[in-house]
């Protein structure tokens, strides 16, 4: 009895209490977005009732968002841009990180530093010369413009994050493959990369999120309403002067992010399962 | 596989030597790295040089510039707002990164345990990171409004403070604290998920061995978990520092640097000077001050990563 | 197998996306299409009028297609800057505040259009020229002024004995003191927003006789007894009538507080009343609007114009000029003005008594305020230095720091230091 009771307290201290605290911290603002998106305007501004409860829920803001703006089109654009720029960034990231993690060659340290140093170029200044480049390539107002520019901020990140993961993977398997006569490329592609799924997933999640969140390049390069992404579309059409369409803004935030959360969760699940089945330690 | 072997068989002699060459570590490495490196140089090289060139000029928007050497940088050092902004940026980055690191480790350790509905919880935990910053920041305009804030209602009901209670964005100290907490809120899931991925790669046998040797949970964390996680911790921290240091959207939307510059950061101030005031040269020089501080950090990290 | 599938899919997506985006039309390519950049109006009907009435009408009349690109208030300057710097993008654009002075080298001289429009529409108000004429040439055709005036709760002011809005700052302070005691504080922005802060702080400074710099653009005059009196008043005003939160406010904050019935007086454009009429009819009934109070040296407002310009990089210069000229014809521009009520107070005398004013008499002070409206930084010269002072919130922060508790001497010295640095080079 005593042992069991102590076990419960320990479990509570190690799991339930911190989990609850994390959940509250993480989800409270989200709860606020949900209720804001469901409140009629009169209730939103009312100080007489508790702001935490929705008394007369309405789907008006969602309906307005979907009927009066191009929200679905923005979502499609955002996903397309995010998927492609993430894919490009991961591929480039591997091409940079694998040699840096596994090969010995002159200049490796310098390259690693240079890649990270690209972040030293201050972004608030990048956009004018970048706009100039895009303009010369005749890509203004096309999704290609942002698909090309997002990797500039994602590739260095992916390369470095993958570099960190690559270093934690034991080298013995690759040595064995080399002895069996595999080429370097085969070793990397067939033996090594499948072991690094967790790294790909966390780098991919990060890259994807950064692309769908990006505001400045999207604002400048995507100017007509049917090529816009969610953040730029929502801000341009739902913030009008000092008048904010609060309910619709929050509806846009929710509709844009919940599906992504579900997909992410699936990916995370996938790599956790793959790892615990013991494939890494084989 | 088969399509790779075919051409090899066709031109045996030539392919053989090509293959030998390609098997050399340096040739293989440079071949692989060439395309991404060219991409980065082309797309980032020109803007970078352009930025530096701007910072050396007196360059009004939409007008020709005149070369002024380091005069812009001298002007920055002489500008009291610049020093305030510098302090803010370091403070903001330091505290937020620390909170995210500690919190992220906590979150990863919690999520590494088994409990019911774990998938759902994990999906929910990721939400702050996924919602576009510009939109989630707008929600905080309400959450931090004293008349709607839950904190204020609780504080007032306990009788500790007089209505309307603390002003989260009007008081300089609280405003800084508020934006730090929001930044932490946003960045925590990424820290947690990345560290969780790191935790998953640690072989359970190591823990078992440590437990048999009589190590307590904190000892196991300190002597087994932490050393193995170091590469991942370093990299997540590196990027967290870079992104926090150059944070823009959150401040721009929520406070725009107010009250009275209490939350202005390098990125927002540089943007205001370059855009609002149309002073490209001066704006560039402020933005470039980000460089030396981050460069030192990067050099240290690059050393560390290569030495391992 | 799976990895091969995904790889092939990825390639396919890439190809499709590339082709798709390349196929998309680029506005401005064809000679018969011109693009106009505009800030999204809080009055949806105004944007819709342009999209659904003006554009089709012009296409019918001239065979030219106009593309209307809207961006949010914070993004207009960024888009204009990118367009001017890269020499690409919209043909026509919206210019706010002093932007024609910042971008003048990249803007077409539209003097002929502006003068013609003036003649056809009863002449320009004097204020119109201040921020549109650069070195003797019209670089923008003025449209309307977005006045920043006092918004007040008629019912609550009545409760403490004011049937009319107080005429002087001192009387307003008195009224506010009473109202705050009754739980109805004032709420005027002292933070880093884009307009509602300047909207009352510059007029406050001017009405006490203070200024940043003389018209010569060299002599800094902020360190004066007049400024000190304005600062002292502001601190007292803040302490007696407001709450700490206003120090961190941005532009949407006072609208929000208004509909939450938290505040009894603020400084804002017509948007508060307009949206109240749409969403909060009860509040709309008790919302009044009035001129800024006067101080010892008079009464002032800020000049906050909207105007339209043509970029020199336009590939369709003639088509753009033709369109702008057509837009300013009385039969066209009158309907355009009207679609926005009187939010953009016309700079043209022909509309001084137009229905847009008589429909809502509470908006009349916005027309009256045109005569006492001055550009930010007045009487200093308009241009980039003035812009730098505004972007650095020199005046706003001087007042805000005083309200937060710093001494008058310190905040003025601080502002003086910043101004000296700005106007030195």
């Amino acid at each position: 009895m005593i042992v069991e009771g102590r076990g419960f307290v320990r479990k509570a201290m190690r799991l339930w209490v911190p989990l609850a605290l994390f959940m509250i911290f993480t989800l409270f603002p989200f709860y606020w977005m949900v209720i804001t998106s469901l409140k009629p305007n009169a209730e939103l501004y009312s100080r007489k009732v508790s702001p935490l409860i929705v008394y007369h829920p309405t789907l008006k803001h969602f309906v307005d968002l979907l009927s009066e703006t191009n929200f679905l089109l923005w979502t499609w654009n955002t996903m397309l841009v995010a998927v492609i720029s993430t894919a490009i960034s991961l591929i480039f990231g591997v091409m940079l990180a694998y040699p840096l993690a596994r090969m010995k060659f002159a200049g490796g340290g310098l390259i690693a530093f240079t890649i990270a140093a690209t972040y030293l170029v201050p972004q608030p200044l990048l956009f004018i010369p970048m706009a100039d480049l895009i303009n010369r390539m005749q890509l203004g107002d096309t999704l290609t413009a942002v698909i090309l520019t997002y990797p500039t901020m994602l590739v260095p990140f992916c390369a470095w994050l993958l570099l960190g993961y690559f270093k934690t993977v034991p080298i013995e398997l690759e040595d064995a493959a080399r002895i069996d006569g595999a080429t370097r490329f085969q070793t990397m592609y067939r033996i090594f990369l499948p072991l690094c799924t967790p790294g790909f997933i966390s780098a991919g999640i990060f890259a994807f999120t950064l692309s769908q969140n990006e505001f400045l390049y999207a604002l400048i390069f995507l100017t007509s309403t049917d090529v816009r992404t969610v953040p730029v579309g929502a801000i341009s059409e739902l913030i009008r002067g000092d008048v904010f369409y609060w309910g619709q803004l929050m509806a846009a935030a929710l509709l844009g992010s919940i599906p992504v959360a579900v997909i992410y969760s699936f990916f995370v699940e996938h790599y956790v399962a793959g790892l615990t089945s013991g494939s890494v330690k084989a | 596989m088969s399509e790779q072997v075919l051409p090899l068989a066709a031109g045996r002699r030539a392919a053989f030597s090509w293959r030998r060459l390609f098997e050399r570590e340096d040739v293989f490495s440079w071949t692989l790295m060439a395309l991404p490196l060219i991409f980065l140089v082309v797309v980032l090289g020109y803007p970078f040089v352009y930025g530096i060139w701007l910072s050396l000029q007196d360059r009004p928007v939409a007008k020709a510039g005149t070369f002024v050497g380091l005069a812009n940088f001298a002007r920055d050092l002489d500008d009291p707002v610049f020093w305030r902004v510098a302090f803010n940026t370091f403070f903001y980055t330091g505290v937020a990164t620390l909170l995210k690191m500690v919190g992220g480790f906590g979150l990863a350790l919690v999520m590494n345990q088994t409990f019911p509905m774990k998938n759902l919880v994990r999906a929910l935990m990721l939400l702050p990171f996924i919602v576009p910053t510009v939109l989630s920041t707008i929600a905080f305009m309400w959450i931090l409004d004293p008349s709607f804030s839950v904190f204020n209602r609780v504080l007032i009901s306990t009788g500790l403070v007089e209505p309307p209670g603390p002003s989260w964005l009007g008081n300089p100290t609280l405003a800084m604290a508020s934006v730090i907490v929001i930044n932490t809120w946003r960045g925590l899931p990424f820290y947690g998920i990345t560290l969780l991925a790191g935790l998953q790669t640690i072989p359970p046998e190591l823990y078992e061995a440590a437990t048999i040797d009589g190590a307590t949970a904190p000892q196991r964390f300190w002597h087994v978990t932490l050393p193995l996680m170091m590469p991942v911790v370093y990299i997540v921290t590196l990027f967290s520092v870079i992104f926090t240091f150059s944070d823009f959207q959150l401040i721009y939307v929520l406070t725009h640097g107010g009250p009275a510059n209490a939350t202005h950061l390098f990125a927002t101030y540089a943007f205001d000077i370059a855009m609002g005031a149309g002073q490209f040269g001066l704006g560039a020089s402020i933005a470039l001050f980000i460089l030396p501080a981050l460069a030192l950090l990067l050099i240290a990290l690059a050393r560390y990563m290569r030495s391992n | 197998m799976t990895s091969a599938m995904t790889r092939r899919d990825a390639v396919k997506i890439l190809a499709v996306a590339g082709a798709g985006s390349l196929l998309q039309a680029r506005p401005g390519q064809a000679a018969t299409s011109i693009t106009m950049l505009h800030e999204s109006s809080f009055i949806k009907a105004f944007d819709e009028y342009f999209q659904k009435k003006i554009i089709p009408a012009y296409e019918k009349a001239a065979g030219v297609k106009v593309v209307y690109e809207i961006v949010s208030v914070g993004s207009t300057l960024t888009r204009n800057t990118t367009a001017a710097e890269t020499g690409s993008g919209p043909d026509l654009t919206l210019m706010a505040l002093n932007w024609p002075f910042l971008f003048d080298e990249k803007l077409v001289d539209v003097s002929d259009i502006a003068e013609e429009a003036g003649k056809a529409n009863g002449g320009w108000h004097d204020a119109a020229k201040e921020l549109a004429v650069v070195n003797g040439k019209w670089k923008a055709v003025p449209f309307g002024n977005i006045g920043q005036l006092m918004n007040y709760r008629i019912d609550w002011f009545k409760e403490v004995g004011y049937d009319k809005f107080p005429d002087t700052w001192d009387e307003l302070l008195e009224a506010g003191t009473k109202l705050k005691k009754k739980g109805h504080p004032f709420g005027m922005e002292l933070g880093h927003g884009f307009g509602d802060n300047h909207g009352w702080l510059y007029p406050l400074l001017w009405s006490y006789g203070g200024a940043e710099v003389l018209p010569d653009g060299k002599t800094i005059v902020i360190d004066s007894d007049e400024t000190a009196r304005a600062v002292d008043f502001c601190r007292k005003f803040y302490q007696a009538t407001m709450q700490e939160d206003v120090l961190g406010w941005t532009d949407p904050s006072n609208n929000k507080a208004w509909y939450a019935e938290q505040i009894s007086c603020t400084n804002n454009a017509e948007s508060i009343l307009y949206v109240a009429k749409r969403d909060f009819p009860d509040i709309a009934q008790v919302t009044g609007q009035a001129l800024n109070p006067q101080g010892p040296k008079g009464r002032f407002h800020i000049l906050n114009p909207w105007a339209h310009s043509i970029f020199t990089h336009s590939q369709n210069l003639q088509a753009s000029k033709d369109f702008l000229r057509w837009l300013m014809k009385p039969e066209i521009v009158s309907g355009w003005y009207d679609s926005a009520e009187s939010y953009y107070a016309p700079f043209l005398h022909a509309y001084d008594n137009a229905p847009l004013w008589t429909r809502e008499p509470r908006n009349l002070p916005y027309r009256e305020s045109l005569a006492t409206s001055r550009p930010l930084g007045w009487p200093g010269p308009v241009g980039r230095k003035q812009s730098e002072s505004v972007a650095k919130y020199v005046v706003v922060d001087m007042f805000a720091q005083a309200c937060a508790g710093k001494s008058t001497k310190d905040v003025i010295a601080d502002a003086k230091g910043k101004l000296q640095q700005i106007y030195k080079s």
Side-chain angles (χ1 to χ4, degrees), chain A residues 52-103:
Chain A
L52 288 179
I53 300 163
V54 189
Y55 294 89
H56 307 284
T58 169
L59 287 175
K60 186 179 179 303
H61 301 305
F62 287 89
V63 173
D64 287 353
L65 177 72
L66 295 176
S67 62
E68 289 176 13
T69 71
N70 285 330
F71 182 77
L72 290 177
L73 191 57
W74 299 338
T75 309
W76 167 248
N77 292 338
T78 311
M79 293 300 145
L80 192 69
V81 166
V83 166
I84 299 173
S85 30
T86 302
I88 294 177
S89 308
L90 282 180
I91 294 168
F92 278 11
V94 170
M95 290 165 84
L96 290 167
Y98 185 72
L100 289 173
R102 286 295 196 247
M103 304 291 139

Side-chain angles (χ1 to χ4, degrees), chain A residues 96-115:
Chain A
L96 290 167
Y98 185 72
L100 289 173
R102 286 295 196 247
M103 304 291 139
K104 287 192 182 62
F105 58 95
L110 184 69
I111 292 289
F113 171 74
T114 313
I115 292 168

Side-chain angles (χ1 to χ4, degrees), chain A residues 1-10:
Chain A
M1 271 308 275
I2 295 165
V3 177
E4 220 172 74
R6 208 199 259 155
F8 176 76
V9 171
R10 270 182 64 181

Side-chain angles (χ1 to χ4, degrees), chain C residues 159-177:
Chain C
E159 276 173 33
V160 294
Y162 293 85
D163 287 338
K164 256 178 49 204
F165 189 75
D167 192 51
T168 65
W169 285 109
D170 287 330
E171 282 168 50
L172 186 63
L173 167 65
E174 207 177 290
T177 313

Side-chain angles (χ1 to χ4, degrees), chain A residues 219-220 223, chain C residues 37 69 71 75-84 89-90:
Chain A
L219 168 74
I220 289 158
T223 53
Chain C
L37 174 75
E69 179 198 332
V71 290
S75 314
T76 322
L77 183 57
T78 310
R79 279 288 298 136
N80 271 324
T81 304
T82 316

Side-chain angles (χ1 to χ4, degrees), chain B residues 191-257:
Chain B
Y191 246 104
I193 234 64
T194 313
L195 294 181
L196 179 61
L199 280 181
Q200 302 272 348
T201 58
I202 299 175
E205 300 86 62
L206 286 179
Y207 287 113
E208 283 157 23
T211 314
I212 291 167
D213 290 349
T216 61
Q219 281 172 336
R220 283 200 301 268
F221 176 77
W222 199 252
H223 294 289
V224 179
T225 314
L226 208 53
L228 286 170
M229 296 276 286
M230 267 340 241
V232 178
V233 173
Y234 262 91
I235 289 174
V236 182
T237 308
L238 167 75
F239 283 94
S240 173
V241 167
I242 288 176
F243 283 106
T244 315
F245 209 88
S246 54
D247 200 2
F248 177 78
Q249 290 186 19
L250 165 62
I251 302 292
Y252 193 77
V253 174
L254 194 62
T255 64
H256 205 123

Side-chain angles (χ1 to χ4, degrees), chain B residues 171-188:
Chain B
N171 179 289
T173 317
L174 289 179
M176 180 51 105
S178 300
V179 289
I180 287 175
V181 170
I182 299 172
N183 179 283
T184 306
W185 174 77
R186 225 196 91 71
L188 195 60

Side-chain angles (χ1 to χ4, degrees), chain C residues 117-164:
Chain C
K119 253 177 238 148
N121 293 285
W124 291 106
H125 280 256
D126 291 336
K129 291 162 203 160
E130 287 203 47
L131 294 173
V133 180
V134 186
N135 296 329
K137 286 180 190 145
W138 295 76
K139 287 298 174 104
V141 178
F143 181 65
N145 188 52
I146 307 173
Q148 289 276 142
L149 267 65
M150 289 295 169
N151 290 238
Y152 68 105
R153 282 287 294 243
I154 299 170
D155 52 343
W156 291 338
F157 268 75
K158 221 169 238 163
E159 276 173 33
V160 294
Y162 293 85
D163 287 338
K164 256 178 49 204

